[in-house]
Amino acid sequence: MLALAVGPAPALGAQTDVTATRAYVKANYALVHSASSVLGRARVAYRDVFRRARAECPGAAAGSPQNPQSTQLSYEIIGAMVTAAVQTNVPAATAYVRAVEHLRWSNGGLTRTVHAYAANVKTIATLAHPDLCGDIKAWVASGYRTLSPHTVSFDARFEPAWVAIGNLPSALARYESSDERPLLSRSEQLESKLTDFESEAVETYGELMNALGVLP
């Protein structure tokens, strides 16, 4: 009787792992595929952050010191670019989160990794765009002593949640089937494309920092 009671558990756990992995692989592919399809719009969005700052408050922090507060402002500037780009693809991010936030594996570490990543995607996709000009002017007005509360609260949410689009934890490999390998391969190719896109955005970040007069 005891053998009958405990015997099916490993098989049930294995099946749950396989099912969860299949669902996750599909959701991750959908996310990176959608993000890759809107790169043109995302590029326009983060470039618009630069254009608006250059038009509305050029040199707002010219002559400002380089210190921990300027570093915090640099994160807000990065966040302004990231949120602008991500907001071109919010429906896909929302669909991804809904698809994976309740998945479970027998490997608790993998479950926590997936849920933590999904929570970060959700945070980035729902962050309100910061008021860069207003926040920088508030810092300058304080004599470079006090950051705007908006900068502090934005960074507190953005910095821990800032992640690349697309995530295939190494622990998934033990549960993947041969049928999923083509999709995994395509996902990895798209993730590489997204990484190149993020690297390209670094140039605009430098231009934006210079336009505002903020030192990292």
Side-chain angles (χ1 to χ4, degrees):
M1 291 292 291
L2 181 60
L4 288 173
V6 302
L12 179 60
Q15 184 56 49
T16 299
D17 290 336
V18 169
T19 301
T21 298
R22 183 177 299 115
Y24 184 83
V25 168
K26 289 180 179 178
N28 184 75
Y29 174 75
L31 176 65
V32 297
H33 180 268
S34 181
S36 297
S37 72
V38 297
L39 288 184
R41 282 192 285 153
R43 184 177 293 106
V44 169
Y46 76 66
R47 289 290 299 175
D48 276 347
V49 175
F50 165 62
R51 283 189 281 267
R52 285 198 304 272
R54 186 174 58 181
E56 296 172 9
C57 56
S64 61
Q66 184 177 29
N67 57 24
Q69 291 182 340
S70 69
T71 299
Q72 270 198 266
L73 277 170
S74 73
Y75 278 114
E76 183 179 8
I77 290 167
I78 294 169
M81 292 177 60
V82 170
T83 54
V86 169
Q87 284 168 6
T88 65
N89 201 36
V90 169
T94 301
Y96 167 83
V97 172
R98 287 176 178 169
V100 309
E101 63 183 346
H102 299 301
L103 295 178
R104 295 285 188 278
W105 286 263
S106 58
N107 181 333
L110 175 57
T111 299
R112 289 189 293 273
T113 295
V114 167
H115 290 178
Y117 179 79
N120 288 337
V121 171
K122 184 176 183 178
T123 295
I124 295 297
T126 56
L127 268 177
H129 192 78
D131 176 11
L132 289 182
C133 288
D135 290 343
I136 290 172
K137 289 176 180 177
W139 180 52
V140 173
S142 77
Y144 312 113
R145 293 188 300 272
T146 307
L147 288 170
S148 162
H150 299 295
T151 297
V152 176
S153 61
F154 178 87
D155 284 357
R157 294 190 66 199
F158 171 71
E159 286 186 63
W162 182 22
V163 292
I165 298 299
N167 185 39
L168 291 170
S170 58
L172 277 177
R174 64 180 296 186
Y175 310 119
E176 294 164 1
S177 70
S178 58
D179 293 343
E180 288 154 358
R181 286 172 190 158
L183 199 60
L184 287 163
S185 178
R186 291 198 293 274
S187 294
E188 289 169 353
Q189 291 170 4
L190 291 172
E191 287 180 24
S192 178
K193 181 178 179 181
L194 292 170
T195 298
D196 291 342
F197 172 79
E198 290 164 4
S199 298
E200 174 190 325
V202 173
E203 181 178 350
T204 297
Y205 163 71
E207 292 175 338
L208 181 52
M209 293 284 284
N210 290 335
L212 292 169
V214 176
L215 299 172

